[in-house]
Amino acid sequence: MPYKQSALSIYIHVPFCSVRCSYCAFNTYTDLEHLIPAYVDALCRELKWLASRAADRRIHTVYFGGGTPSRLSPAQFEQVLRQLHDSYSIDDDAEISLEANPDDLSENYFRRLKCIGFNRVSIGMQSANAAILRIFERQHDLGAVENALRHARRAGFDNINLDVIFGSPAETLADWKKTVDTTLRFAPEHVSMYGLELKGGTRLRHQVDAGELPRPDDDDFADMYEHASERLAAAGYEQYEISSWGQPGHQCRHNLQYWRNLEYIGVGAGAHGFADGYRYSTITAPERYIAALSGDLPQGSSAKLTPAVAKAERVDEAQELYETIMMGLRMTREGINRAGFKQRFGRDFVEMFPEATERMKAAALLRVTFERVCLSQSGRLLSNTVIREFVDRIKI
């Protein structure tokens, strides 16, 4: 399909977390749950303020993510969703998703979420290996994942994602095969499979740098990715993005908004967004976020960015081109739609990058048709290399 902005997505960041994970950055808060009622009120104020500047915009996906959004009660989710419906035009078939940890997710909790409009849930399984979960400092075990899935099914959810991570310190291929087998046994409609990133400032990165844990091996990393790709394909899952597999008809519509480099509104402390030509991030600390949205908010239509925005950058054409290529090539089936690309930038992708395209084709890392440009099967393992061949030629 051509790239076009037909509807918006909304990402709602809930930074309160049930546990501080060793691989997470520091923007989740485990000791501020007393702020949640005021935080929910601030979310509603922010959504209402933004809608006053774009009241005619359709919303087709809503995604609650962050730390542990399931720390909110169903009544608090209902308050936010009611504000969304009051402020925007929400599609009847809108995808409304919730990220959740497996801990303490009851059937009644899921039933109440279903009743207020949620139709997709993403559960952070991470691994089937207890030792790896301990490295991640996760509180749940495999039994908790199984219980959460059973409760969600009984509540009527038929669109469930499992998040899993590969390439962890000390993880063997046998460990990973167990995680893949377990994931398939649970039969989710969607699987998000991420290679571990050792982010600076995290406890896990410190342990690896200090030699307390072994540094993940690149060859093992590739073997794990290839094994999972083959197993998921054999089980009927379609890979449509570097890290994403879905049963037919179960692509994550919200994430497709990101990968197509289309606009989305980010609200909440520590959120990111792309709207009205700006990429922006909001105030990270919940207390400061709440304060920014208290009192009298700016009036008039000239102010496009929420009062909670901490940083904003105007996206020029070069930056938009860079981001469109970087994200578009991650989509393994859709790739970069040539007609949509030309409509957006005025030139055909292959004509814009003839030498790089030919070089990647000759290396069997890229597939080029009249309709699209996308990674080959072997190119998926070297996606960063392929993407750099193009984005390094853009002057930003």
Side-chain angles (χ1 to χ4, degrees):
M1 61 175 289
Y3 298 102
K4 64 178 182 178
Q5 187 70 57
S6 59
L8 279 172
S9 292
I10 292 186
Y11 173 75
I12 300 175
H13 193 252
V14 182
F16 306 96
C17 197
S18 57
V19 60
R20 191 179 293 279
C21 312
S22 63
Y23 60 88
C24 287
F26 294 122
N27 64 340
T28 55
Y29 298 85
T30 59
D31 55 355
L32 297 177
E33 290 197 8
H34 63 282
L35 293 176
I36 288 179
Y39 185 80
V40 171
D41 289 341
L43 281 176
C44 291
R45 286 173 61 81
E46 187 177 21
L47 287 167
K48 183 177 180 180
W49 187 90
L50 285 166
S52 69
R53 284 142 180 78
D56 60 339
R57 303 299 288 271
R58 282 179 43 236
I59 303 298
H60 73 126
T61 74
V62 181
Y63 193 100
F64 289 83
T68 311
S70 50
R71 305 309 289 175
L72 271 60
S73 69
Q76 288 166 333
F77 282 122
E78 185 174 17
Q79 180 183 345
V80 177
L81 291 174
R82 185 167 57 246
Q83 182 64 64
L84 279 170
H85 281 281
D86 288 346
S87 301
Y88 293 93
S89 174
I90 310 295
D91 286 358
D92 291 340
D93 64 345
E95 177 188 270
I96 302 180
S97 306
L98 172 71
E99 276 185 5
N101 285 340
D103 316 72
D104 303 323
L105 291 173
S106 68
E107 183 178 336
N108 182 58
Y109 187 85
F110 279 123
R111 286 189 183 279
R112 294 179 67 188
L113 293 182
K114 197 77 168 61
C115 285
I116 61 176
F118 283 90
N119 50 31
R120 186 177 186 273
V121 62
S122 178
I123 297 174
M125 172 176 154
Q126 318 306 7
S127 176
N129 186 296
I132 292 171
L133 291 175
R134 285 195 294 272
I135 289 175
F136 290 159
E137 300 180 3
R138 306 300 291 175
Q139 293 181 332
H140 73 266
D141 58 17
L142 201 56
V145 177
E146 194 161 15
N147 286 336
L149 283 162
R150 183 171 61 252
H151 294 326
R153 294 295 189 203
R154 287 178 175 174
F157 280 91
D158 57 6
N159 193 359
I160 298 176
N161 171 66
L162 284 182
D163 275 343
V164 291
I165 297 174
F166 68 97
S168 309
E171 183 175 33
T172 66
L173 182 57
D175 292 331
W176 175 239
K177 286 181 177 180
K178 177 184 176 183
T179 293
V180 173
D181 289 345
T182 303
T183 302
L184 291 174
R185 177 168 63 84
F186 287 155
E189 283 73 26
H190 191 279
V191 177
S192 296
M193 186 183 75
Y194 302 105
L196 179 69
E197 292 183 46
L198 292 173
K199 297 179 181 178
T202 62
R203 176 174 169 79
L204 192 57
R205 171 67 177 268
H206 174 76
Q207 289 175 306
V208 170
D209 288 347
E212 298 171 16
L213 290 171
R215 189 170 298 277
D217 180 84
D218 288 344
D219 290 336
D220 291 343
F221 199 89
D223 289 343
M224 291 176 185
Y225 186 83
E226 286 189 315
H227 171 77
S229 299
E230 292 169 1
R231 291 282 288 117
L232 288 164
Y237 289 83
E238 298 173 347
Q239 184 179 16
Y240 65 100
E241 189 268 340
I242 290 292
S243 301
S244 305
W245 287 257
Q247 293 179 358
H250 287 90
Q251 295 181 346
C252 178
R253 289 159 51 193
H254 185 84
N255 284 346
L256 283 171
Q257 191 88 353
Y258 300 153
W259 297 322
R260 290 171 178 158
N261 200 21
L262 298 176
E263 289 190 349
Y264 66 97
I265 296 172
V267 299
H272 293 79
F274 173 38
D276 294 314
Y278 287 89
R279 287 216 178 267
Y280 64 87
S281 59
T282 58
I283 296 166
T284 301
E287 307 101 315
R288 291 180 54 229
Y289 168 80
I290 293 167
L293 289 158
S294 62
D296 295 330
L297 301 182
Q299 301 300 311
S301 59
S302 59
K304 296 292 186 181
L305 297 173
T306 163
V309 165
K311 296 179 181 178
E313 178 186 14
R314 187 69 160 166
V315 178
D316 60 19
E317 185 175 35
Q319 183 68 31
E320 185 177 0
L321 177 62
Y322 178 98
E323 293 169 351
T324 299
I325 294 171
M326 183 176 64
M327 290 186 281
L329 283 177
R330 288 186 59 91
M331 293 188 289
T332 56
R333 288 174 172 262
E334 182 175 319
I336 293 176
N337 178 283
R338 293 177 68 176
F341 185 92
K342 187 172 183 178
Q343 177 184 341
R344 189 168 188 169
F345 297 105
R347 293 179 62 189
D348 177 69
F349 179 86
V350 175
E351 293 175 357
M352 190 179 288
F353 303 98
E355 294 178 2
T357 300
E358 192 56 41
R359 187 160 48 250
M360 292 297 98
K361 277 179 60 181
L365 299 177
L366 203 65
R367 291 190 296 111
V368 180
T369 68
F370 178 76
E371 294 182 339
R372 66 191 72 255
V373 177
C374 55
L375 296 172
S376 67
Q377 185 68 41
S378 55
R380 297 173 191 182
L381 281 170
L382 298 169
S383 59
N384 290 337
T385 299
V386 178
I387 291 169
R388 279 198 303 271
E389 277 287 323
F390 297 99
V391 298
D392 284 354
R393 286 161 174 75
I394 301 171
K395 295 181 180 179
I396 298 180

